[in-house]
Amino acid sequence: MPFFSIIVPCYNAEKYLAEAVESVLNQSFSDWELLLVDDGSTDGTLKIINEYSERDRRIKPICKANGGVSSARNVGLQKAVGEWMLFLDSDDWFEPQAFEKIRILIADTDADIVGFNHFYNSRIREWKRENFKPANISRAGADMKYFMLDTLFPYYDKKKNGVSTGAIRGVWGKAFKRQLIENNNVRFDCDIKIGEDAIFCLDAFRWAAKVVLHDEYLIHYRVLDSSTMNKYNAEVLSINEKALGGYYSRIRQFIDSGEREFKICFCGLAAECLFRIFRMYLLHPDCTLSFAEKRRTIRHVLRQDIYRTAFDCTLDYLPRGKKEMVFCAKHRLINILFLVAYISCTIIRWKKK
């Protein structure tokens, strides 16, 4: 039984896959297995996978019909035998000492999940994600709920407790004890196309006795112009509805039992989903709808029960921009809502330049 199982979903990944695999092969800690799950690629991905598996018996090739990143990761979870699970996207890579440092962190903390920080890498530069605050975050018992809340809406923890958890929603910045995942049947929801990482983490945090985040930069996250959040997507309305439904089914018991913080963070999550509709669809340059059609679309969205439920909440903990958007949504100030969303989208584009 290896110490680590590293699961890599691979779909048409020939451009970057070798760099990801080499970052595992170059680790100073060698007790691992690497599961490369080809998700029905149509380029040279499978050839690369087979070449590496012939070169090193720790590399396990897995082939499946195309079903998306969640189904590929689930197959990897089914096949993995390591004591601890790591996830790596096919275009990302680890620092050379990452596994050794994660192993030490596991031994020193006795946690069920350990997290670490990451670099961003674009075509032209590298920079660090903001530091964890505090640098080492350890939670157990009743405080574990804050990691669950963070997967809904990280801004709340930062504003209320001064705690910044980085990319808490990503599975690729964490090591999970396999016993925790298997004993509680934690899996990725294949029906959810955006936010599947966060829902997996939400489920895992629910069952974990202790989680530790350590502010050391051990993984590189590649920022691509073709990332999902930059693409035009007319299906975002149904994607949001499924995602919000998936979250709500998991936290409803906490809301129904009167835990106000879950309702506040669900409102924050719904605000993010509402903004996503503007960014990826209604205000995207590729959208051809008339303004009258856009208005009808957003009115239809705001009549859905999931948004009405989410926005029936205090807005005090929403950040600037989203607070104004939700206020306009609640009071059906549709024209002003479009204006606020347009300003927010413009600011995001400006910051990326």
Short mmCIF file of all heavy atoms in Angstrom, two decimals, residues 141-181:
data_model
loop_
_atom_site.label_atom_id
_atom_site.label_comp_id
_atom_site.label_asym_id
_atom_site.label_seq_id
_atom_site.Cartn_x
_atom_site.Cartn_y
_atom_site.Cartn_z
N GLY A 141 -13.67 19.63 16.06
CA GLY A 141 -14.89 19.74 16.85
C GLY A 141 -15.87 20.73 16.26
O GLY A 141 -16.10 20.77 15.04
N ALA A 142 -16.44 21.58 17.11
CA ALA A 142 -17.46 22.54 16.67
C ALA A 142 -16.93 23.54 15.66
O ALA A 142 -17.67 24.05 14.81
CB ALA A 142 -18.04 23.27 17.89
N ASP A 143 -15.61 23.85 15.73
CA ASP A 143 -15.03 24.82 14.80
C ASP A 143 -14.93 24.29 13.37
O ASP A 143 -14.68 25.07 12.44
CB ASP A 143 -13.64 25.23 15.28
CG ASP A 143 -13.70 26.17 16.47
OD1 ASP A 143 -14.78 26.74 16.72
OD2 ASP A 143 -12.67 26.32 17.16
N MET A 144 -15.11 22.98 13.18
CA MET A 144 -15.05 22.42 11.83
C MET A 144 -16.11 23.02 10.91
O MET A 144 -15.95 23.04 9.69
CB MET A 144 -15.22 20.89 11.88
CG MET A 144 -13.94 20.13 12.15
SD MET A 144 -12.68 20.42 10.88
CE MET A 144 -13.59 19.95 9.42
N LYS A 145 -17.18 23.55 11.50
CA LYS A 145 -18.24 24.11 10.67
C LYS A 145 -17.74 25.26 9.81
O LYS A 145 -18.28 25.53 8.74
CB LYS A 145 -19.42 24.56 11.52
CG LYS A 145 -19.19 25.85 12.30
CD LYS A 145 -20.47 26.31 12.98
CE LYS A 145 -20.23 27.62 13.73
NZ LYS A 145 -21.48 28.12 14.36
N TYR A 146 -16.67 25.95 10.29
CA TYR A 146 -16.19 27.09 9.52
C TYR A 146 -15.56 26.66 8.19
O TYR A 146 -15.65 27.40 7.20
CB TYR A 146 -15.21 27.93 10.35
CG TYR A 146 -15.91 28.75 11.40
CD1 TYR A 146 -15.83 28.42 12.73
CD2 TYR A 146 -16.70 29.84 11.03
CE1 TYR A 146 -16.49 29.17 13.70
CE2 TYR A 146 -17.36 30.60 11.97
CZ TYR A 146 -17.26 30.25 13.31
OH TYR A 146 -17.94 30.99 14.25
N PHE A 147 -14.94 25.49 8.14
CA PHE A 147 -14.45 25.01 6.86
C PHE A 147 -15.61 24.65 5.93
O PHE A 147 -15.52 24.84 4.71
CB PHE A 147 -13.53 23.80 7.05
CG PHE A 147 -12.15 24.17 7.50
CD1 PHE A 147 -11.54 23.50 8.54
CD2 PHE A 147 -11.43 25.18 6.89
CE1 PHE A 147 -10.26 23.82 8.97
CE2 PHE A 147 -10.16 25.53 7.29
CZ PHE A 147 -9.57 24.84 8.34
N MET A 148 -16.70 24.14 6.50
CA MET A 148 -17.89 23.90 5.69
C MET A 148 -18.45 25.22 5.16
O MET A 148 -18.80 25.34 3.98
CB MET A 148 -18.95 23.16 6.51
CG MET A 148 -18.56 21.77 6.94
SD MET A 148 -19.83 20.96 7.94
CE MET A 148 -21.16 20.80 6.74
N LEU A 149 -18.52 26.22 6.02
CA LEU A 149 -18.99 27.54 5.60
C LEU A 149 -18.08 28.15 4.55
O LEU A 149 -18.55 28.82 3.62
CB LEU A 149 -19.09 28.46 6.82
CG LEU A 149 -20.15 28.09 7.87
CD1 LEU A 149 -19.97 28.94 9.12
CD2 LEU A 149 -21.55 28.25 7.31
N ASP A 150 -16.77 27.91 4.67
CA ASP A 150 -15.82 28.44 3.69
C ASP A 150 -16.06 27.89 2.30
O ASP A 150 -15.82 28.58 1.30
CB ASP A 150 -14.38 28.13 4.12
CG ASP A 150 -13.91 28.99 5.28
OD1 ASP A 150 -14.41 30.12 5.41
OD2 ASP A 150 -13.05 28.53 6.05
N THR A 151 -16.49 26.64 2.20
CA THR A 151 -16.75 26.08 0.87
C THR A 151 -17.98 26.71 0.24
O THR A 151 -18.11 26.73 -0.98
CB THR A 151 -16.93 24.55 0.92
OG1 THR A 151 -18.07 24.23 1.72
CG2 THR A 151 -15.69 23.87 1.48
N LEU A 152 -18.86 27.24 1.07
CA LEU A 152 -20.00 27.98 0.55
C LEU A 152 -19.59 29.40 0.17
O LEU A 152 -19.86 29.86 -0.94
CB LEU A 152 -21.11 28.04 1.61
CG LEU A 152 -21.76 26.74 2.04
CD1 LEU A 152 -22.61 26.96 3.28
CD2 LEU A 152 -22.60 26.15 0.92
N PHE A 153 -18.92 30.09 1.11
CA PHE A 153 -18.67 31.52 0.94
C PHE A 153 -17.50 31.94 1.81
O PHE A 153 -17.67 32.34 2.97
CB PHE A 153 -19.94 32.29 1.31
CG PHE A 153 -19.90 33.75 0.98
CD1 PHE A 153 -19.62 34.20 -0.30
CD2 PHE A 153 -20.18 34.70 1.96
CE1 PHE A 153 -19.60 35.55 -0.61
CE2 PHE A 153 -20.16 36.05 1.67
CZ PHE A 153 -19.88 36.48 0.38
N PRO A 154 -16.26 31.83 1.31
CA PRO A 154 -15.07 32.10 2.13
C PRO A 154 -15.01 33.51 2.71
O PRO A 154 -14.37 33.72 3.74
CB PRO A 154 -13.91 31.85 1.16
CG PRO A 154 -14.48 31.02 0.06
CD PRO A 154 -15.92 31.39 -0.05
N TYR A 155 -15.67 34.45 2.08
CA TYR A 155 -15.61 35.85 2.53
C TYR A 155 -16.14 36.00 3.96
O TYR A 155 -15.68 36.86 4.72
CB TYR A 155 -16.42 36.72 1.58
CG TYR A 155 -16.38 38.20 1.86
CD1 TYR A 155 -15.30 38.97 1.43
CD2 TYR A 155 -17.41 38.84 2.55
CE1 TYR A 155 -15.26 40.34 1.69
CE2 TYR A 155 -17.38 40.19 2.80
CZ TYR A 155 -16.30 40.94 2.37
OH TYR A 155 -16.26 42.29 2.62
N TYR A 156 -17.09 35.15 4.35
CA TYR A 156 -17.70 35.26 5.68
C TYR A 156 -16.67 35.00 6.79
O TYR A 156 -16.58 35.76 7.76
CB TYR A 156 -18.86 34.27 5.80
CG TYR A 156 -19.50 34.24 7.16
CD1 TYR A 156 -20.38 35.26 7.55
CD2 TYR A 156 -19.24 33.21 8.05
CE1 TYR A 156 -20.97 35.25 8.81
CE2 TYR A 156 -19.83 33.19 9.31
CZ TYR A 156 -20.69 34.21 9.68
OH TYR A 156 -21.26 34.20 10.92
N ASP A 157 -15.91 33.94 6.66
CA ASP A 157 -14.90 33.59 7.66
C ASP A 157 -13.86 34.71 7.78
O ASP A 157 -13.39 35.05 8.86
CB ASP A 157 -14.23 32.27 7.26
CG ASP A 157 -13.51 31.58 8.42
OD1 ASP A 157 -13.63 32.06 9.56
OD2 ASP A 157 -12.85 30.56 8.17
N LYS A 158 -13.51 35.27 6.64
CA LYS A 158 -12.50 36.34 6.61
C LYS A 158 -13.02 37.58 7.33
O LYS A 158 -12.30 38.22 8.11
CB LYS A 158 -12.14 36.67 5.17
CG LYS A 158 -10.95 37.58 5.00
CD LYS A 158 -10.57 37.67 3.52
CE LYS A 158 -9.31 38.48 3.33
NZ LYS A 158 -8.90 38.52 1.89
N LYS A 159 -14.28 37.93 7.09
CA LYS A 159 -14.83 39.13 7.69
C LYS A 159 -15.15 38.94 9.17
O LYS A 159 -14.90 39.83 9.99
CB LYS A 159 -16.09 39.55 6.93
CG LYS A 159 -16.67 40.88 7.41
CD LYS A 159 -17.74 41.40 6.47
CE LYS A 159 -18.25 42.76 6.92
NZ LYS A 159 -19.28 43.30 6.00
N LYS A 160 -15.67 37.78 9.53
CA LYS A 160 -16.10 37.53 10.91
C LYS A 160 -14.94 37.18 11.82
O LYS A 160 -14.84 37.68 12.94
CB LYS A 160 -17.13 36.41 10.95
CG LYS A 160 -17.73 36.17 12.34
CD LYS A 160 -18.81 35.10 12.27
CE LYS A 160 -19.53 34.99 13.61
NZ LYS A 160 -18.66 34.53 14.70
N ASN A 161 -14.04 36.31 11.33
CA ASN A 161 -12.98 35.77 12.19
C ASN A 161 -11.58 36.22 11.81
O ASN A 161 -10.61 35.88 12.50
CB ASN A 161 -13.03 34.24 12.18
CG ASN A 161 -14.36 33.70 12.64
OD1 ASN A 161 -14.89 34.15 13.65
ND2 ASN A 161 -14.92 32.75 11.90
N GLY A 162 -11.44 36.96 10.70
CA GLY A 162 -10.12 37.35 10.24
C GLY A 162 -9.31 36.19 9.69
O GLY A 162 -8.08 36.26 9.61
N VAL A 163 -10.00 35.12 9.28
CA VAL A 163 -9.33 33.91 8.78
C VAL A 163 -9.44 33.86 7.26
O VAL A 163 -10.53 33.97 6.70
CB VAL A 163 -9.96 32.64 9.39
CG1 VAL A 163 -9.36 31.39 8.76
CG2 VAL A 163 -9.75 32.62 10.90
N SER A 164 -8.31 33.71 6.60
CA SER A 164 -8.26 33.59 5.14
C SER A 164 -7.74 32.21 4.77
O SER A 164 -6.61 31.85 5.09
CB SER A 164 -7.36 34.66 4.54
OG SER A 164 -7.32 34.57 3.14
N THR A 165 -8.57 31.41 4.11
CA THR A 165 -8.26 30.01 3.86
C THR A 165 -7.81 29.71 2.44
O THR A 165 -7.70 28.55 2.06
CB THR A 165 -9.50 29.14 4.17
OG1 THR A 165 -10.60 29.61 3.37
CG2 THR A 165 -9.86 29.22 5.64
N GLY A 166 -7.53 30.75 1.64
CA GLY A 166 -7.04 30.51 0.29
C GLY A 166 -8.06 29.80 -0.58
O GLY A 166 -9.27 30.04 -0.47
N ALA A 167 -7.58 28.89 -1.42
CA ALA A 167 -8.47 28.16 -2.34
C ALA A 167 -9.09 26.97 -1.63
O ALA A 167 -8.89 25.82 -2.02
CB ALA A 167 -7.69 27.73 -3.58
N ILE A 168 -9.88 27.24 -0.62
CA ILE A 168 -10.44 26.18 0.22
C ILE A 168 -11.35 25.26 -0.57
O ILE A 168 -11.55 24.09 -0.22
CB ILE A 168 -11.21 26.81 1.41
CG1 ILE A 168 -11.56 25.75 2.47
CG2 ILE A 168 -12.45 27.55 0.94
CD1 ILE A 168 -10.39 25.17 3.18
N ARG A 169 -11.90 25.74 -1.68
CA ARG A 169 -12.85 24.94 -2.46
C ARG A 169 -12.17 23.93 -3.38
O ARG A 169 -12.83 23.04 -3.90
CB ARG A 169 -13.74 25.86 -3.30
CG ARG A 169 -14.67 26.74 -2.48
CD ARG A 169 -15.25 27.83 -3.33
NE ARG A 169 -16.38 28.50 -2.70
CZ ARG A 169 -16.95 29.60 -3.17
NH1 ARG A 169 -16.47 30.16 -4.27
NH2 ARG A 169 -17.98 30.14 -2.55
N GLY A 170 -10.89 24.07 -3.62
CA GLY A 170 -10.20 23.20 -4.58
C GLY A 170 -9.73 21.91 -3.94
O GLY A 170 -9.15 21.92 -2.85
N VAL A 171 -9.93 20.78 -4.61
CA VAL A 171 -9.43 19.51 -4.07
C VAL A 171 -7.93 19.36 -4.33
O VAL A 171 -7.25 18.59 -3.64
CB VAL A 171 -10.18 18.29 -4.67
CG1 VAL A 171 -11.62 18.29 -4.24
CG2 VAL A 171 -10.05 18.23 -6.18
N TRP A 172 -7.39 20.08 -5.30
CA TRP A 172 -6.00 19.89 -5.69
C TRP A 172 -5.02 20.51 -4.70
O TRP A 172 -3.82 20.31 -4.82
CB TRP A 172 -5.75 20.46 -7.09
CG TRP A 172 -6.46 21.75 -7.36
CD1 TRP A 172 -7.65 21.92 -8.01
CD2 TRP A 172 -6.04 23.06 -6.96
NE1 TRP A 172 -7.99 23.25 -8.04
CE2 TRP A 172 -7.03 23.97 -7.41
CE3 TRP A 172 -4.94 23.55 -6.27
CZ2 TRP A 172 -6.94 25.34 -7.19
CZ3 TRP A 172 -4.84 24.91 -6.04
CH2 TRP A 172 -5.83 25.79 -6.51
N GLY A 173 -5.47 21.25 -3.72
CA GLY A 173 -4.57 21.84 -2.72
C GLY A 173 -4.66 21.15 -1.38
O GLY A 173 -4.34 21.75 -0.35
N LYS A 174 -5.03 19.86 -1.38
CA LYS A 174 -5.25 19.16 -0.12
C LYS A 174 -4.86 17.69 -0.24
O LYS A 174 -4.86 17.13 -1.34
CB LYS A 174 -6.72 19.23 0.29
CG LYS A 174 -7.24 20.63 0.50
CD LYS A 174 -8.73 20.63 0.75
CE LYS A 174 -9.22 22.06 0.81
NZ LYS A 174 -9.12 22.73 -0.51
N ALA A 175 -4.55 17.09 0.90
CA ALA A 175 -4.39 15.64 1.00
C ALA A 175 -5.50 15.11 1.90
O ALA A 175 -5.72 15.64 3.00
CB ALA A 175 -3.02 15.28 1.56
N PHE A 176 -6.20 14.08 1.44
CA PHE A 176 -7.33 13.51 2.16
C PHE A 176 -6.98 12.10 2.62
O PHE A 176 -6.47 11.30 1.83
CB PHE A 176 -8.57 13.42 1.26
CG PHE A 176 -9.06 14.73 0.71
CD1 PHE A 176 -8.50 15.27 -0.45
CD2 PHE A 176 -10.10 15.41 1.33
CE1 PHE A 176 -8.96 16.48 -0.97
CE2 PHE A 176 -10.56 16.62 0.82
CZ PHE A 176 -10.00 17.16 -0.33
N LYS A 177 -7.26 11.80 3.88
CA LYS A 177 -7.08 10.44 4.37
C LYS A 177 -8.08 9.53 3.64
O LYS A 177 -9.28 9.79 3.64
CB LYS A 177 -7.30 10.38 5.87
CG LYS A 177 -6.99 9.04 6.50
CD LYS A 177 -7.26 9.04 8.00
CE LYS A 177 -6.25 9.89 8.75
NZ LYS A 177 -6.45 9.80 10.22
N ARG A 178 -7.56 8.49 3.00
CA ARG A 178 -8.45 7.63 2.19
C ARG A 178 -9.52 6.96 3.04
O ARG A 178 -10.66 6.78 2.59
CB ARG A 178 -7.65 6.56 1.44
CG ARG A 178 -8.51 5.78 0.44
CD ARG A 178 -7.64 4.98 -0.51
NE ARG A 178 -7.00 3.87 0.14
CZ ARG A 178 -7.51 2.62 0.18
NH1 ARG A 178 -8.67 2.36 -0.38
NH2 ARG A 178 -6.86 1.64 0.78
N GLN A 179 -9.19 6.62 4.27
CA GLN A 179 -10.17 5.99 5.16
C GLN A 179 -11.38 6.91 5.37
O GLN A 179 -12.52 6.46 5.41
CB GLN A 179 -9.52 5.66 6.49
CG GLN A 179 -10.40 4.85 7.42
CD GLN A 179 -9.67 4.47 8.71
OE1 GLN A 179 -8.61 5.01 9.02
NE2 GLN A 179 -10.25 3.54 9.44
N LEU A 180 -11.13 8.22 5.51
CA LEU A 180 -12.21 9.18 5.65
C LEU A 180 -13.11 9.18 4.42
O LEU A 180 -14.35 9.16 4.53
CB LEU A 180 -11.64 10.58 5.87
CG LEU A 180 -12.64 11.73 5.86
CD1 LEU A 180 -13.39 11.81 7.19
CD2 LEU A 180 -11.95 13.06 5.57
N ILE A 181 -12.49 9.18 3.24
CA ILE A 181 -13.25 9.24 1.99
C ILE A 181 -14.05 7.96 1.78
O ILE A 181 -15.24 8.00 1.42
CB ILE A 181 -12.28 9.47 0.81
CG1 ILE A 181 -11.50 10.78 0.99
CG2 ILE A 181 -13.03 9.46 -0.51
CD1 ILE A 181 -12.35 12.01 1.14
#
